[in-house]
Amino acid sequence: MTKPLVSFIIAYYNLPLEMLCACIDSIMALSLQLSEREIIVVDDGSEISPMNELMRYGDNIIYIRQHNKGLSEARNTGIQMATGSHLQFIDADDYLLKAPYEHCLDLLRHRQPEMVVFDFTRSEKPDTSDSYHDSEPLTGSEFMRRQNIRGSACGYVFSRSILGDLRFTPGIYNEDEEFTPQLLLRTEVLCLTDAQAYGYRERPGSIITDTDIRQRLKRLEDTRGIICRLNTLADRQPIDNRSALQRRVAQLTMDYLYNIIRLTGSRHYLERKMGLLRKKGLFPLPDRNYTTKYTWFRRMTNSSLGISLLMRVVQRLNK
């Protein structure tokens, strides 16, 4: 039997059933034949199993239920079960947009890259354009050196062959930020398109919007751990990969400091964490002109006055 072209891995936990069904329906609306697609729903120990309601999909889906272990473990289970030649992660409250995603599938079939990177949209109106701009083939390392990347693991479809033993780190928030750069470094042929193929919903109460102070602090600490591990990994890379990963580490460090200000508003906490980064050689931020935003942020965090001004601006923006 031939392998499916794409295994779609949906991690599900305590969401409205209609969202999960809309996600599955968006995949089934694609032109892929049953033999070309594999839809794997990993229920990460939801309080109420959706299995009975999903019976109507029959052989169109594979349903797996496990004890609650978190998003990383749910995706790792999906990877273990997948048989497709390519993998696509989808959050259960999101969906694929037919025409733009069909374009990504065409790129897979005709150009045969190891990864297709596409765009996100929050708009409920589907993109009806049939004209997309695609890059020439480049490596994942080149892509990371040229521009900032979106960390979400849902933002690309990729060949199973490049995954190797790479998996999501269990028990942490922002696991995508550690997974995606490492996957990109393994990618020799990447195609970038501006097709808005992924519909993203931001829900109150989601991991990203959770306002509980303990969750905020854990998210920040998990991010610092990711930054330190990626920085250690960069030191062991060939020069081009090292440069690519160092850019990502600098960007994540900037985002980390920004989120400390945004989520805690504490100057004392900010300076304490800057001190820990300094011991690892991660602060002050590297003197690189990655983006205009990065350049100004680096300059402002290099002085006490700049930090004071930055904190006032960020806190005012969050009101």
Side-chain angles (χ1 to χ4, degrees):
M1 295 180 63
T2 59
K3 293 181 179 180
L5 177 64
V6 184
S7 291
F8 298 91
I9 299 173
I10 306 172
Y12 173 79
Y13 178 71
N14 282 353
L15 289 173
L17 183 62
E18 57 268 23
M19 284 188 171
L20 174 59
C21 291
C23 179
I24 296 172
D25 291 342
S26 74
I27 301 171
M28 293 180 60
L30 301 172
S31 63
L32 293 167
Q33 300 296 315
L34 179 59
S35 61
E36 294 180 299
R37 70 168 187 250
E38 183 177 58
I39 304 174
I40 302 172
V41 178
V42 183
D43 177 4
D44 190 42
S46 296
E47 294 173 8
I48 301 175
S49 169
M51 182 172 62
N52 291 338
E53 289 78 1
L54 296 179
M55 292 292 287
R56 60 189 168 105
Y57 290 106
D59 292 338
N60 282 293
I61 69 168
I62 298 169
Y63 174 77
I64 302 166
R65 182 170 171 84
Q66 65 182 30
H67 292 296
N68 180 240
K69 300 177 182 179
L71 179 59
S72 290
E73 291 282 28
R75 286 177 173 170
N76 288 342
T77 296
I79 291 171
Q80 181 179 351
M81 296 300 298
T83 63
S85 58
H86 296 80
L87 303 181
Q88 171 71 65
F89 298 108
I90 312 177
D91 290 340
D93 49 349
D94 297 334
Y95 54 95
L96 300 178
L97 292 149
K98 188 176 189 313
Y101 199 84
E102 294 281 4
H103 178 69
C104 298
L105 293 175
D106 287 342
L107 291 174
L108 279 184
R109 293 184 181 106
H110 302 304
R111 292 199 185 182
Q112 299 185 333
E114 293 174 327
M115 179 184 291
V116 175
V117 179
F118 46 78
D119 208 351
F120 284 62
T121 181
R122 287 183 171 87
S123 174
E124 294 293 331
K125 297 181 180 179
D127 182 3
T128 58
S129 170
D130 58 358
S131 177
Y132 306 107
H133 297 93
D134 310 320
S135 73
E136 292 299 316
L138 67 161
T139 68
S141 178
E142 287 177 301
F143 176 47
M144 291 175 66
R145 293 198 305 273
R146 291 181 184 181
Q147 63 186 70
N148 292 340
I149 66 170
R150 180 183 286 110
S152 172
C154 298
Y156 45 85
V157 55
F158 66 97
S159 172
R160 171 87 184 234
S161 64
I162 65 173
L163 185 62
D165 61 355
L166 179 63
R167 296 295 184 272
F168 292 92
T169 302
I172 64 170
Y173 286 122
N174 302 325
E175 58 281 310
D176 291 18
E177 297 290 6
E178 186 168 16
F179 179 88
T180 295
Q182 295 184 75
L183 188 67
L184 282 168
L185 291 183
R186 298 169 182 231
T187 305
E188 292 298 324
V189 184
L190 177 150
C191 184
L192 176 66
T193 177
D194 63 359
Q196 295 182 333
Y198 191 96
Y200 171 74
R201 293 189 180 101
E202 188 172 86
R203 298 180 301 103
S206 69
I207 290 177
I208 293 176
T209 59
D210 193 335
T211 57
D212 182 85
I213 186 61
R214 287 174 298 179
Q215 300 298 327
R216 291 185 184 188
L217 294 178
K218 174 170 170 49
R219 191 173 298 120
L220 290 170
E221 283 303 291
D222 287 348
T223 299
R224 186 168 65 87
I226 289 169
I227 291 168
C228 291
R229 289 193 293 275
L230 289 179
N231 186 56
T232 299
L233 178 63
D235 291 339
R236 303 197 297 264
Q237 297 296 312
I239 186 167
D240 285 345
N241 285 4
R242 186 187 314 137
S243 176
L245 204 48
Q246 284 173 341
R247 173 172 180 148
R248 188 58 186 161
V249 166
Q251 180 68 42
L252 287 174
T253 305
M254 181 188 76
D255 292 344
Y256 168 68
L257 296 175
Y258 175 86
N259 282 321
I260 287 177
I261 299 171
R262 183 176 65 87
L263 295 173
T264 73
S266 169
R267 175 74 177 257
H268 175 72
Y269 187 85
L270 175 66
E271 291 184 343
R272 185 153 56 91
K273 297 306 175 181
M274 283 178 170
L276 293 176
L277 293 173
R278 193 185 300 273
K279 291 179 180 179
K280 297 285 186 178
L282 293 164
F283 188 83
L285 293 170
D287 186 3
R288 299 286 188 273
N289 294 321
Y290 292 136
T291 64
T292 301
K293 178 182 176 182
Y294 175 86
T295 299
W296 279 103
F297 192 94
R298 178 183 59 79
R299 290 173 180 173
M300 293 182 75
T301 53
N302 277 349
S303 71
S304 178
L305 180 60
I307 291 172
S308 297
L309 178 59
L310 182 62
M311 292 192 69
R312 286 198 296 270
V313 170
V314 172
Q315 289 165 4
R316 182 171 298 178
L317 290 173
N318 283 330
K319 288 183 178 179

